[in-house]
Every structure is written in C-alpha cells, then in structure tokens.
Amino acid sequence: ARPKVGYFYSGKSNLDFYKDYIKEIKVDDIKSLPVVVDESTTVYDAIVTLFLEDVGTVCVVSKGLLVGVVSRKDFLKSAIGGVDINKIPVGVIMTRMPNIIVAKPEESIIEAAEKIIEHQVDSLPVVQDAEVDGVKGYKVVGRISKTNITKIFVDLGTKASI
Amino acid sequence: ARPKVGYFYSGKSNLDFYKDYIKEIKVDDIKSLPVVVDESTTVYDAIVTLFLEDVGTVCVVSKGLLVGVVSRKDFLKSAIGGVDINKIPVGVIMTRMPNIIVAKPEESIIEAAEKIIEHQVDSLPVVQDAEVDGVKGYKVVGRISKTNITKIFVDLGTKASI
C-alpha cells in the first residue's frame, strides 16, 4: 500500500498521519542480513563472528532451522564466568527456542520496535515458517535491531519530503 | 517552544510537520541516568557495574570530569584478549577523551541519533561544560542510547494524538 502523505485535510492531527505512514513500513523494507552460526560452533568462534560481522547478536541454527540466539551480553557473561570458551559450543550458552522473540517480514516496524522494548533485547531474528525433514520451525531471513530503528528515525527526521 | 501539532493547512507535507515536531524534542527530555565509574576501577568491577545497571556503556570519570567511555564490545574484547580483568583498571581499555562523541542536553534527539549512527556507537554521554581545579572538561549528566531512540519511535507511532 502507498504511504499516506499529501496536502489534504481530514480532521486528523499530523501525528496521526505520521502514525499511518510509519505503519506502512514493514520489517522486510529495513531488515539487515542475518548473522548465523551452527549450534556446534565454539563460544570463542561465535565471538569472533560477532566481531567480524560487527553485530550485537548472532543466531544459532541446526539443520537450517533457528534453535537459539546469543547476545553480546551473553558472551560477556560466559567470558568472565569461567566458561572454557574454546571448548564449549555456543549451543550451551544460547537462549533457546521457544524463548526467542522473532519478527516476521510482513510485520510493521512499529510492532518490531515494540517487541524490542518490551522484551529488552537488542535485536530480533527475522524469520519465515519452514519445514526441514518433517520438523517445523523458522528459517532465519534477516535481523532487525535498535540500529535499524534508529536509522529509520534519522531518515524520517532529516530527509526531504517523500 | 511548543511542538507544532494541529489541524492547520500551510502547504507543508505531513512528514514536514513530523520533522518540525521531532526537532522540538531535546536530549534533555528523554535522556537516562548516567552510569559512571572512576578511572581506577578494575575492568572486572566495571563489567559488574554494567550488568547491575543493565546498560551497554559506562562512562569513566576522574575528579568529576569525563575522561573515557567503555562499551560492552570493549569489555568483551578485553575479556577474551588475555587482559587480567581483575587487575587492570578500566582506564587502560577505555576510549579516551577527546575521542568521545557526546551530546548536550539542549541538542535535538535527531542530532543525537545522527551521531549514534554516524559514529557507530550504542550511546552517547550527555554532558555539560564544567571546570574542576582549573581544568576544563565535561560533567556527565545523562546518557542517550539507541534504546531511548527506539522508545521514542514506539511512543510516537503508537500513542494517542498529542
């Protein structure tokens, strides 16, 4: 659907127009590429991936399906908590399905931003329903973070009229 | 100044009204409390502060003036990099003045969000000019993060008209 902008008068406040406009922007429009490691990856190698990709969270998959997420905070906790990060697989320290908050590509970015705030996470895996060898789950197709939200906030606040 | 909302017609697009509205919101209106440690604090104790306060960045002060910042990423790098986090003071691993991006309370949140994106940081110390024992510098009066920006984005997108 076309974002509602223009010069018409309908009794709505301008903030209502803004809300209508924002609701048309979908997770799919602003999502970033996902950063994914296998469940068997060591904590150390997952941290290296985190730094190389310069992200705050990595998704953990098994046979192509999402099984967990690990944040920078989780990694820091392991690193100072006496975990042997060179031996322990990331699967041991991750937050595990079904306790993962996800976003769907067709969701509005407002819904995604609300989930980020409500569940106090830095980012959400963007997922699609999938089935592998008869097992139903999620395929990871992107991620949406506070960085994406902050960027769109800056874009809306500074760019020329759309 | 009063935010510009209303039902008037002036040839501006609704997004322009949004931009005018956003520009009136200042860092001072949405900033969080600062989390501050002394330069002599060990890296380990600073990490404990980070977890206790549940923030992504701590400010480092010396004699009441800002001398550095340390992010979760910096801490993780030290923790896996063979630094003796129980002995080394946080002053050794921090990003040091004048290489710190700050925000002033009277800045618009759009300016602050732009700095966060441009300099790829998670948060900015909110500071005021100060002088201690003849030394000029910054007093830390708050912090503004991607979380604050994401919250205001959700507020603007979901709340009833203002």
Side-chain angles (χ1 to χ4, degrees), chain B residues 25-37:
Chain B
I25 309 177
K26 304 300 177 195
V27 165
D28 204 34
D29 301 328
I30 67 161
K31 71 180 194 301
S32 300
L33 288 173
V35 175
V36 168
V37 296

Side-chain angles (χ1 to χ4, degrees), chain A residues 7 11 19 54 73 147 159, chain B residues 7 11 19 54 73 159:
Chain A
Y7 300 84
K19 284 192 273 180
D54 199 21
K73 202 165 147 182
T147 307
K159 275 197 180 156
Chain B
Y7 299 83
K19 283 192 275 179
D54 199 21
K73 201 164 148 184
K159 276 200 179 152

Side-chain angles (χ1 to χ4, degrees), chain A residues 10 18 26 42 55 75 81-83 102 109 125-126 128 138 143 154:
Chain A
S10 76
Y18 164 69
K26 304 299 179 196
T42 63
V55 290
F75 282 128
V83 169
V102 299
I109 53 169
V126 181
Q128 273 172 343
Y138 292 138
R143 69 193 158 84
V154 168

Side-chain angles (χ1 to χ4, degrees), chain B:
Chain B
R2 209 168 58 87
K4 295 178 193 74
V5 292
Y7 299 83
F8 42 89
Y9 177 100
S10 76
K12 281 187 170 186
S13 83
N14 294 293
L15 210 59
D16 286 332
F17 281 113
Y18 164 68
K19 283 192 275 179
D20 289 345
Y21 181 80
I22 289 287
K23 272 179 196 136
E24 299 292 334
I25 309 177
K26 304 300 177 195
V27 165
D28 204 34
D29 301 328
I30 67 161
K31 71 180 194 301
S32 300
L33 288 173
V35 175
V36 168
V37 296
D38 191 85
E39 218 182 354
S40 60
T41 311
T42 63
V43 171
Y44 182 85
D45 285 344
I47 293 174
V48 170
T49 302
L50 190 89
F51 279 115
L52 286 177
E53 303 284 344
D54 199 21
V55 291
T57 311
V58 295
C59 291
V60 183
V61 296
S62 175
K63 293 174 189 160
L65 295 178
L66 177 68
V67 292
V69 293
V70 195
S71 70
R72 215 179 265 161
K73 201 164 148 184
D74 297 326
F75 282 127
L76 186 55
K77 219 177 276 176
S78 304
I80 66 163
V83 169
D84 186 347
I85 60 172
N86 290 297
K87 285 192 184 151
I88 299 292
V90 75
V92 171
I93 68 156
M94 71 189 183
T95 301
R96 192 171 285 276
M97 284 287 288
N99 302 317
I100 302 175
I101 314 301
V102 299
K104 296 285 180 89
E106 64 274 15
E107 255 173 54
S108 96
I109 54 169
I110 280 289
E111 283 175 78
E114 279 187 291
K115 286 181 187 174
I116 286 174
I117 294 300
E118 191 189 333
H119 299 282
Q120 301 185 4
V121 291
D122 284 330
S123 72
L124 308 172
V126 180
V127 301
Q128 274 171 342
D129 293 325
E131 193 172 329
V132 176
D133 297 340
V135 180
K136 284 186 181 172
Y138 291 138
K139 202 178 101 184
V140 185
V141 296
R143 71 194 157 82
I144 186 155
S145 66
K146 288 177 193 166
T147 308
N148 298 112
I149 303 293
T150 303
K151 268 184 193 156
I152 195 92
F153 179 79
V154 169
D155 281 354
L156 291 173
T158 56
K159 276 200 179 152
S161 308
I162 305 171

